Amino acid sequence: MRVIAGQHRGRKLDAPPGLETRPILDRVKTALFDCLGSRLAMPGQLPPLHVLDLFCGGGSMGIEALSRGAKSCAFVDQHPDAIRCLRVNLEALRIGPEASIHQAPAGYVRFPERDETRFDLIFLDPPYTMSESLESDGEMMRLLERMGREIRIAPEALLVWRHEYRAIVPDRLPNDWQRIDARTYGGMTLTIYQFPTEIAP
């Protein structure tokens, strides 16, 4: 696993032990960031966005975003092994205050009240079973309902949801996120949603 492009291009990244984190293939990461760069009129790079990397594992997606020009990234994972691996990767690349680490279940993570950051780009990479279980009282639905309310989201923000290709995900998420694209690579799909221009009340 490595950084594909930008400031840290070619640097290797550690992955947490075990199979739950499912590191994303380089070719898929390349295709995704090419797509994001094209949507944001900056092929191969990103504007100074605020990024939220949920279920981040070793931080591959958020680190790639920082390498390509993102201003900040909040990394969230509840597993100690993932957080340890993330810290190793950030320290190896000398990524400092632009990264914040939050060890918590994604559906319950809280950010400091004094932090008024609104996220422009969100990576959502839960265990595949969570994407298949969207019960109203489940962690996944709780998380989606918080995106744009308790978790501050910028107008027209993009959300990239990685899930098993057979999972049926909705066209519209709570708080009026709209599906705008979906791309399948082997056994997984990356579904992209966009937040409305007006912030949900």
Side-chain angles (χ1 to χ4, degrees), residues 23-201:
I24 193 166
L25 296 174
D26 285 355
R27 65 178 180 84
V28 177
K29 188 158 60 170
T30 297
L32 171 61
F33 277 90
D34 284 349
C35 171
L36 293 174
S38 295
R39 283 192 172 276
L40 298 168
M42 299 186 70
Q45 56 182 321
L46 294 175
L49 306 173
H50 295 290
V51 179
L52 176 59
D53 192 354
L54 296 165
F55 305 94
C56 68
S60 172
M61 300 301 285
I63 290 172
E64 185 73 32
L66 290 172
S67 181
R68 291 176 183 243
K71 183 175 184 178
S72 71
C73 183
F75 295 90
V76 179
D77 205 295
Q78 67 176 327
H79 297 291
D81 286 344
I83 295 297
R84 280 192 289 269
C85 180
L86 171 63
R87 292 187 187 278
V88 167
N89 287 333
L90 294 176
E91 289 171 6
L93 297 177
R94 298 183 180 179
I95 294 174
E98 63 268 38
S100 60
I101 300 172
H102 307 267
Q103 184 173 354
Y108 295 88
V109 65
R110 294 192 179 279
F111 301 100
E113 287 295 327
R114 65 182 182 278
D115 184 355
E116 297 184 356
T117 298
R118 293 188 183 274
F119 295 108
D120 305 283
L121 176 61
I122 301 94
F123 297 112
L124 178 60
D125 189 12
Y128 281 167
T129 53
M130 286 185 66
S131 295
E132 298 169 358
S133 303
L134 299 179
E135 294 89 353
S136 59
D137 60 346
E139 181 181 356
M140 193 65 181
M141 188 55 67
R142 172 184 169 79
L143 171 60
L144 294 173
E145 289 173 347
R146 296 182 67 215
M147 300 287 291
R149 294 185 183 276
E150 296 170 50
I151 298 176
R152 298 185 180 97
I153 304 297
E156 300 185 351
L158 297 176
L159 181 150
V160 181
W161 184 351
R162 181 186 180 196
H163 54 85
E164 208 267 346
Y165 79 101
R166 290 175 295 189
I168 299 174
V169 298
D171 290 332
R172 178 179 293 184
L173 304 180
N175 302 318
D176 210 26
W177 289 87
Q178 302 287 334
R179 178 160 58 180
I180 59 172
D181 200 354
R183 301 176 180 222
T184 297
Y185 305 91
M188 71 173 173
T189 295
L190 300 176
T191 300
I192 301 176
Y193 294 85
Q194 188 165 42
F195 198 57
T197 300
E198 297 296 327
I199 300 294

